[in-house]
Amino acid sequence: MTPVLRTGLSILITTVAVFLAVPTHAESPRERVTTMLTAVTAVLQDPTAEGKVQRDQRVREAIFAGFHFDAMAELSLGPHWQALTPAQREEFVGVFGNFFERSYNRLVLRFFGERTTRYVDESATGDVGIVDTVVESKKDERLPVRYRLVYRRDRWGVVDVVLDGISLTENYRTQFDSVIRRSSYQVLVQRMKAKVGGEEVSRP
């Protein structure tokens, strides 16, 4: 092989390799989860934090920054999502975001202030990422928590939280499907709004 041909082949191989390379994202799934949990824990552990309303708002901001509620809402509705109009989808994303934030705040995040999160593993394939953690208490209690993320709009966002093997998104999908089949989509939205006091989502 002549030097000229060898050089040309080398350039071609390099070009193809660059073209086929998997695109990298500026932020990793673990960094997104860490940022969210650090912000939440800082609020819960801050003895000088403002009143409950202000504290809840700061936690809300961290949750909204860490999740992709549009993707999570679609996954939670399953096949029923396809039947919604664009206006209904937009409304449901807002209602779902408020509904999930309230539930997650009360049922899960409240105990993070007294526990630590240990990162176990991280993986990313294309635009799908997984972060495995263990939440540990001083009493040596351990709770495995897996975060499932997708990459959209130039950032990673959580779309599911699996607590000790139980997926919150799959649980929502089962409950939502049951309500829609027994009643209707409109009834589901009414119940979700009632659950959070009929408040609209105020995005941070």
Side-chain angles (χ1 to χ4, degrees):
M1 182 181 295
T2 66
V4 174
L5 183 57
R6 184 180 294 108
T7 301
L9 182 59
S10 177
I11 293 174
L12 176 60
I13 292 175
T14 301
T15 301
V16 172
V18 171
F19 179 75
L20 295 179
V22 177
T24 58
H25 305 308
E27 180 186 51
S28 72
R30 173 171 170 169
E31 288 173 331
R32 168 55 61 182
V33 173
T34 300
T35 298
M36 177 181 67
L37 296 184
T38 299
V40 170
T41 302
V43 175
L44 299 181
Q45 294 182 339
D46 183 3
T48 64
E50 307 89 342
K52 181 180 182 302
V53 174
Q54 289 75 17
R55 288 166 63 92
D56 286 349
Q57 180 60 28
R58 288 172 58 186
V59 172
R60 168 191 283 271
E61 291 172 359
I63 293 175
F64 270 87
F67 281 78
H68 274 322
F69 282 130
D70 53 348
M72 193 174 184
E74 180 178 353
L75 291 172
S76 297
L77 267 189
H80 300 292
W81 176 265
Q82 300 302 322
L84 301 185
T85 66
Q88 287 177 318
R89 291 180 179 182
E90 182 178 0
E91 178 193 30
F92 186 77
V93 170
V95 172
F96 178 83
N98 204 26
F99 178 82
F100 177 83
E101 183 273 329
R102 289 294 184 87
S103 300
Y104 195 57
N105 193 324
R106 293 170 181 172
L107 300 180
V108 181
L109 292 181
R110 287 308 183 190
F111 72 86
F112 277 164
E114 300 177 355
R115 293 165 173 80
T116 58
T117 297
R118 178 168 57 86
Y119 293 87
V120 178
D121 194 17
E122 173 190 29
S123 63
T125 303
D127 291 339
V128 178
I130 292 177
V131 178
D132 286 319
T133 70
V134 175
V135 178
E136 301 175 326
S137 71
K138 296 180 180 179
K139 297 181 180 179
D140 204 31
E141 298 173 335
R142 293 180 173 85
L143 176 67
V145 181
R146 164 172 285 188
Y147 298 89
R148 294 174 178 160
L149 303 90
V150 297
Y151 193 84
R152 286 188 177 184
R153 297 185 299 278
D154 299 324
R155 74 173 181 87
W156 288 102
V158 179
V159 295
D160 192 14
V161 181
V162 184
L163 302 169
D164 200 16
I166 300 176
S167 163
L168 296 186
T169 298
E170 291 179 5
N171 188 45
Y172 281 134
R173 184 161 59 241
T174 299
Q175 294 184 42
F176 293 171
D177 178 70
S178 177
V179 173
I180 292 174
R181 290 182 182 278
R182 287 188 289 105
S183 299
S184 66
Y185 166 76
Q186 288 72 21
V187 170
L188 171 64
V189 173
Q190 291 172 1
R191 291 183 181 179
M192 293 172 69
K193 288 182 176 180
K195 185 70 174 180
V196 292
E199 297 179 9
E200 296 296 330
V201 175
S202 56
R203 293 182 179 273

